[in-house]
């Protein structure tokens, strides 16, 4: 563990465009050979109809923001410094979750979350700080977010679409990060062993 931060510091006022999100039961860190739980591109303009997923906002993180997909992308908007998390799917243990992001305005962190407990507010998180383009892996232990590992990148989700993929397979936590339109990296951008941590939960985005 590199440090401990309050959960609220990982997000500031922002509007986030989520272009697509795919969640799989992962046997290997690759979406192509895993069993798909759902893949949502929000093209139907309704993220709560259960087709293919019912996205819900966590209501226990402070001031509740908004989620809107009527334009074909899922737009998450935070009114202040309180985190905003949308989650979907059923409880899984080994998963791979991939999404394409663009930050519309503001600054803070955008991230994928796995083994998320929306009630207990615990999860593993892999994301990017849009203030300095640092990617990171975090373990969320209510009410703190414990930084596991981080690294500087030249990705800039304020001006370009960025793809993140978070894999949680057994005790291995991995994050892939790359520009939309480019090939997925052959090796994870970050990895961390998480033995003795959380065993299962749903997928989410922050």
């Amino acid at each position: 563990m590199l440090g401990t931060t309050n959960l609220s510091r990982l997000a500031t006022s922002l509007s986030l465009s989520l272009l697509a999100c795919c969640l799989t039961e992962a046997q290997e860190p690759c979406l192509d050979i895993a069993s798909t739980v759902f893949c949502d591109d929000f093209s139907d303009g309704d993220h709560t109809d259960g087709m293919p997923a019912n996205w819900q906002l966590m209501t226990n993180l402070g001031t509740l923001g908004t989620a809107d997909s009527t334009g074909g992308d899922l737009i998450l908007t935070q009114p202040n410094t309180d985190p905003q998390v949308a989650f979907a799917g059923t409880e899984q243990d080994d998963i791979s979750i991939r999404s394409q992001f663009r930050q519309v305005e503001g600054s803070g962190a955008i991230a994928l979350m796995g083994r998320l407990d929306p009630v207990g507010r615990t999860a593993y998180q892999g994301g990017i700080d849009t203030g300095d383009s640092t990617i990171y892996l975090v373990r969320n232990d209510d009410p703190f977010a414990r930084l596991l590992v981080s690294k500087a990148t030249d990705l800039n989700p304020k001006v370009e679409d960025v793809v993140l993929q978070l894999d949680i397979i057994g005790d291995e936590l991995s994050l892939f990060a790359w520009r939309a339109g480019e090939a997925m990296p052959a090796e994870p951008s970050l990895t961390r062993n998480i033995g003795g941590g959380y065993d299962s939960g749903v997928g989410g985005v922050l």
Side-chain angles (χ1 to χ4, degrees):
M1 179 185 1
L2 301 181
T4 302
T5 18
N6 191 285
L7 181 64
S8 65
R9 292 185 56 196
L10 288 181
T12 57
S13 179
L14 60 85
S15 182
L16 170 68
S17 178
L18 182 66
L19 305 181
C21 188
C22 296
L23 178 74
T24 66
E25 294 178 283
Q27 291 82 43
E28 298 290 341
C30 176
L31 283 168
D32 295 333
I33 58 173
S35 173
T36 300
V37 177
F38 68 81
C39 191
D40 199 344
D41 64 3
F42 309 107
S43 59
D44 64 357
D46 188 348
H47 58 281
T48 63
D49 62 359
M51 301 182 340
N54 179 25
W55 290 87
Q56 305 173 62
L57 293 178
M58 286 181 62
T59 59
N60 54 358
L61 296 175
T63 304
L64 189 63
T66 61
D68 179 78
S69 59
T70 55
D73 300 330
L74 180 60
I75 307 293
L76 301 179
T77 302
Q78 294 169 280
N80 54 28
T81 59
D82 292 330
Q84 167 102 312
V85 174
F87 64 95
T90 56
E91 189 167 305
Q92 309 289 333
D93 43 22
D94 291 351
I95 68 164
S96 179
I97 180 169
R98 179 190 294 183
S99 188
Q100 184 171 324
F101 296 92
R102 170 76 68 96
Q103 189 169 73
V104 180
E105 60 184 33
S107 62
I110 56 177
L112 300 174
M113 307 181 83
R115 296 185 183 173
L116 167 65
D117 178 354
V119 176
R121 307 199 310 178
T122 58
Y124 293 107
Q125 179 187 144
I128 182 169
D129 185 330
T130 65
D132 61 10
S133 299
T134 298
I135 57 174
Y136 63 85
L137 290 171
V138 153
R139 171 174 159 157
N140 289 108
D141 299 314
D142 182 36
F144 296 104
R146 303 179 184 276
L147 180 64
L148 303 175
V149 63
S150 64
K151 172 171 88 169
T153 74
D154 61 355
L155 300 172
N156 188 354
K158 292 183 177 181
V159 299
E160 61 187 353
D161 287 0
V162 171
V163 184
L164 299 177
Q165 178 172 316
L166 179 67
D167 293 344
I168 310 178
I169 302 173
D171 291 335
E172 195 71 19
L173 181 65
S174 302
L175 178 70
F176 297 79
W178 70 99
R179 288 181 180 84
E182 296 183 354
M184 177 182 173
E187 298 294 329
S189 308
L190 295 172
T191 61
R192 187 74 172 192
N193 186 279
I194 53 172
Y198 304 121
D199 295 325
S200 63
V202 297
V205 295
L206 178 149

